[in-house]
């Protein structure tokens, strides 16, 4: 069947079943491979996208739930000033190693600052608890967020 939604600001229309995963549509139909598949069960955050401004695990979203929604992937988010600030902090802190978790982690950090102006370490740990990283041991990611706090980064 025909499914219409907005992808990175553009109205798109695809042929798909309602049960197909948003993650697969993004990666296979649109070749937007910055959205990763990790656990495929809503636990790792590698597949995060914004859907109507809410952060969702796209591996858990059937296309039935994406009809008419506005979906933003890392490819579009990477064009924003917010992304550049977060990326800079990640690079400076050594928070990117294999990079597999990074797109989802960056989006989760953005979301964290939506909730808190200056998140504490505990708030950072809780806020990023849905994102798994096999490489960094998390410390460098926490340091990247601390750097953003120190620089006075604010959600906008
Ligand atoms: S792949 Fe979706 S949460 Fe892990
Ligand atoms: S940098 Fe490799 S999984 Fe996080």
């Amino acid at each position: 069947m025909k499914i219409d939604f907005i992808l990175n600001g553009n109205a798109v229309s695809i042929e798909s079943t309602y049960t197909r995963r948003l993650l697969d549509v993004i990666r296979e139909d649109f070749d937007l491979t910055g959205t990763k598949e990790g656990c495929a069960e809503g636990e790792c955050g590698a597949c995060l996208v914004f859907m109507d401004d809410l952060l969702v695990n796209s591996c858990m979203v059937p296309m039935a739930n994406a009809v008419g929604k506005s979906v933003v992937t890392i490819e579009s988010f990477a064009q924003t000033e917010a992304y550049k600030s977060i990326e800079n902090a990640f690079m400076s802190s050594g928070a990117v190693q294999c990079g597999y978790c990074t797109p989802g982690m960056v989006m989760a950090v953005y979301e964290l600052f939506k909730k808190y102006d200056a998140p504490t370490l505990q708030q950072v740990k809780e806020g990023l608890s849905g994102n798994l990283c096999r490489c960094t041991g998390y410390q460098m990611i926490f340091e990247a967020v601390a750097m953003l706090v120190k620089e006075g980064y604010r959600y906008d």
Side-chain angles (χ1 to χ4, degrees):
M1 63 192 61
K2 189 164 153 299
I3 295 180
D4 298 328
F5 65 107
I6 313 282
L7 181 58
N8 293 336
N10 300 310
V12 295
S13 186
I14 58 160
E15 278 298 323
S16 173
T17 60
Y18 275 151
T19 53
R20 203 160 158 230
R21 302 180 309 172
L22 175 60
L23 171 64
D24 297 325
V25 169
I26 289 168
R27 289 181 56 88
E28 294 166 7
D29 294 24
F30 295 96
D31 206 23
L32 294 169
T33 53
T35 306
K36 308 295 188 197
E37 176 158 16
C39 65
E41 54 187 25
E43 299 290 336
C44 77
C47 65
L48 284 174
V49 296
F50 292 106
M51 193 163 78
D52 282 357
D53 288 331
L54 294 175
L55 209 48
V56 297
N57 287 314
S58 60
C59 71
M60 302 299 286
V61 178
M63 284 312 294
N65 292 0
V67 176
K69 299 278 174 59
S70 174
V71 175
V72 174
T73 69
I74 190 69
E75 285 83 357
S76 178
F77 183 60
Q79 307 304 315
T80 64
E81 288 304 314
Y83 172 87
K84 286 171 193 152
S85 301
I86 299 169
E87 179 193 44
N88 185 47
F90 268 57
M91 300 301 276
S92 304
S93 305
V96 180
Q97 291 188 20
C98 82
Y100 202 82
C101 70
T102 308
M105 200 65 86
V106 166
M107 289 175 133
V109 167
Y110 178 71
E111 192 73 4
L112 185 67
F113 278 88
K114 191 193 272 187
K115 209 165 162 194
Y116 306 105
D117 277 346
T120 63
L121 180 58
Q122 191 54 35
Q123 288 165 340
V124 175
K125 286 182 177 175
E126 284 168 15
L128 301 184
S129 61
N131 292 74
L132 303 184
C133 175
R134 289 177 182 275
C135 306
T136 63
Y138 300 98
Q139 190 53 41
M140 289 173 273
I141 293 170
F142 299 154
E143 283 169 16
V145 179
M147 178 181 288
L148 287 163
V149 170
K150 200 169 161 201
E151 288 171 349
Y153 170 84
R154 289 285 184 274
Y155 172 83
D156 60 18

